[in-house]
Amino acid sequence: MEPTILYEDANILVINKPSGLVVHDDGHAKEAGKIKEKNLVDWILKNYPQIKDVGEPGRTANGETVLRSGIVHRLDRETSGVMMIAKNQETFEFLKDKFKNHNIEKTYHAFVYGQLKKTEDVIDRPIGRSSKDFRMWSAQRGARGELREAETHYKVLKSNKDYSFVEVKPKTGRTHQIRVHFKAISYPLVADSVYAPNRENNLGFVRLALHSYCLSFADQKGDTHTIVAPYPADFANALDLLQSY
């Protein structure tokens, strides 16, 4: 559950987040009387205490402050891969603006159910709240609330009749965007317990089959960086299985 460092300089830290590690405390454990689980911010505070007050703190449902030390963007608990952390406030504001204006290219790799008909395409569907469950999101007819523009580019890297391994580049950053968009075109992500519950898979996944593979960005000096996160063991194993049958 420990992240590994992929790149570091005086202003930026880029890590490989393992699946299962939540990014920051949301206060829910305390409210439910449970023991707070370790999260990425705990690791940051232990190894980089000077980052403690960098960024924008959040608040729990009961109004308590939650530290988000240096966190500029987030990954879901089950998603593994590249994640960027700002080491000072100036860099935080710089990166926040970059993400807001889509000047940082994010590339994900994922396994989806089924063999996609198009080897390369753009999913351009607005996302709103699900009409079935307000905690979920939807890019299908009947979505509720404010519909926000969302665009996802994908390319099939490998496939068979049961699964496709895809490279995904979201051009917007909506919550659950990749999961919701592939669900909307009837090729949900493998082992997605929320958007494709109770579906078996033969690829060995016990968590969402989504990996933040690469981040490409320019730093404050204008130098460009492309940081790649190696596949975790379950992704490497699934690729072997996909090719074997």
Side-chain angles (χ1 to χ4, degrees):
M1 294 294 287
E2 287 270 317
T4 54
I5 297 170
L6 300 172
Y7 171 82
E8 183 175 8
D9 61 26
N11 300 311
I12 295 170
L13 177 67
V14 184
I15 58 134
N16 187 358
K17 185 189 87 67
S19 173
L21 181 65
V22 70
V23 172
H24 54 71
D25 179 22
D26 60 8
H28 288 163
K30 185 176 180 180
E31 290 165 17
K34 298 178 181 178
I35 297 172
K36 183 179 84 71
E37 64 179 308
K38 290 186 177 181
N39 54 61
L40 177 58
V41 170
D42 291 334
W43 180 86
I44 293 170
L45 294 178
K46 176 184 175 183
N47 294 280
Y48 299 87
Q50 70 276 17
I51 301 179
K52 179 179 178 181
D53 296 318
V54 172
E56 298 171 348
R59 292 198 176 278
T60 64
N62 62 7
E64 288 189 33
T65 299
V66 176
L67 288 174
R68 294 178 179 170
S69 308
I71 302 297
V72 190
H73 65 121
R74 63 187 294 273
L75 296 176
D76 292 339
R77 176 201 297 270
E78 292 186 32
T79 305
S80 56
V82 182
M83 199 171 159
M84 189 181 297
I85 298 157
K87 297 175 75 173
N88 54 64
Q89 193 64 29
E90 182 182 345
T91 302
F92 175 84
E93 299 296 342
F94 171 81
L95 293 175
K96 180 184 173 184
D97 185 67
K98 286 272 189 183
F99 275 107
K100 181 180 179 181
N101 292 297
H102 315 301
N103 297 135
I104 294 177
E105 184 175 74
K106 296 178 286 184
T107 302
Y108 292 80
H109 284 179
F111 290 88
V112 302
Y113 290 105
Q115 189 169 37
L116 285 149
K117 294 176 182 177
K118 296 182 179 180
T119 57
E120 196 166 346
D121 201 9
V122 177
I123 308 171
D124 188 357
R125 296 191 180 205
I127 293 176
R129 291 285 185 178
S130 168
S131 58
K132 296 179 181 179
D133 186 336
F134 199 71
R135 294 167 298 180
M136 295 168 61
W137 299 87
S138 175
Q140 295 166 271
R141 184 177 297 176
R144 295 178 175 178
E146 180 187 359
L147 298 182
R148 304 183 71 185
E149 176 190 354
E151 183 179 317
T152 303
H153 296 231
Y154 76 81
K155 179 170 65 175
V156 177
L157 301 177
K158 297 181 186 297
S159 69
N160 61 24
K161 62 183 178 62
D162 297 315
Y163 304 99
S164 298
F165 180 55
V166 293
E167 180 172 275
V168 187
K169 295 185 178 184
K171 298 303 177 183
T172 47
R174 309 304 177 204
T175 302
H176 293 179
Q177 178 174 318
I178 295 171
R179 301 163 68 182
V180 169
H181 266 174
F182 278 94
K183 164 78 170 179
I185 63 169
S186 302
Y187 297 92
L189 267 63
V190 169
D192 190 333
S193 61
V194 175
Y195 295 100
N198 305 316
R199 288 190 65 166
E200 293 183 4
N201 75 84
N202 298 317
L203 299 179
F205 281 104
V206 294
R207 57 96 172 191
L208 179 70
L210 182 62
H211 179 66
S212 174
Y213 179 69
C214 176
L215 279 178
S216 295
F217 62 95
D219 61 23
Q220 285 119 307
K221 297 178 181 177
D223 295 332
T224 57
H225 305 268
T226 296
I227 313 297
V228 171
Y231 293 138
D234 56 0
F235 255 71
N237 181 60
L239 267 175
D240 289 340
L241 288 171
L242 184 69
Q243 294 169 325
S244 68
Y245 79 96

